[in-house]
Amino acid sequence: MRNEFGGHNQPLGSTEEPSTPRLDIPASSSTTAEGIWHEARDLYLYGVAAALRGKRATADRLLRASLALEPRNHQAWLWLAGIVLSPGESLQCLERALELSPGNPHVLKGIAWAKQRLESQQNVADEASLSFPQGRQ
């Protein structure tokens, strides 16, 4: 069975449940550019896996750790935008992804989604302020 990254989680023909990747990635002592790149990639892949399983806090932590090592990964910014709770923060992440990958259709679609979230949040805030008339106590 193929996983979301195109690899195999288990041997073909196996009926065993696929193993869950470790999400408690230890800090690395890698100092070479290649080592840092590999660590950033691994953190990114584990972050995506956590997001797909609905583990938002873990995904957030792993994606941010990946971006600390490789801030030019537009895909990590895109995934982070999808899991943060704040529509404003989502938009900031997506704007960074757009800087790194101009015209990317996934990023452009994400920006439209984030702007819609911001507008909905503003509408809810506006309705709430109308529900409580000024000057009454």
Side-chain angles (χ1 to χ4, degrees):
M1 173 155 87
R2 288 200 172 274
N3 64 21
E4 61 271 10
F5 309 116
H8 291 282
N9 283 339
Q10 59 195 17
L12 290 175
S14 173
T15 58
E16 188 177 302
E17 281 293 312
S19 62
T20 302
R22 254 182 4 135
L23 296 178
D24 56 340
I25 308 298
S28 173
S29 60
S30 179
T31 56
T32 67
E34 183 179 351
I36 291 169
W37 182 86
H38 284 290
E39 183 177 355
R41 184 202 59 202
D42 289 347
L43 289 164
Y44 163 73
L45 293 174
Y46 285 127
V48 169
L52 290 171
R53 287 196 316 274
K55 298 186 178 295
R56 184 180 298 241
T58 300
D60 184 281
R61 180 176 57 83
L62 291 166
L63 290 168
R64 287 180 194 275
S66 174
L67 286 165
L69 295 172
E70 179 48 71
R72 295 170 297 173
N73 182 347
H74 75 278
Q75 292 175 322
W77 286 110
L78 185 60
W79 275 95
L80 185 59
I83 62 163
V84 296
L85 297 176
S86 161
E89 189 176 0
S90 286
L91 191 56
Q92 288 174 344
C93 292
L94 290 161
E95 287 170 349
R96 179 68 178 127
L98 189 61
E99 289 173 15
L100 297 168
S101 183
N104 182 307
H106 300 291
V107 176
L108 294 171
K109 186 175 179 180
I111 288 173
W113 167 78
K115 286 181 177 180
Q116 185 178 26
R117 284 180 66 205
L118 269 173
E119 187 177 308
S120 294
Q121 184 182 49
Q122 185 60 48
N123 289 342
V124 168
D126 290 346
E127 288 175 17
S129 68
L130 292 175
S131 299
F132 298 102
Q134 299 288 331
R136 288 195 174 187
Q137 296 185 5

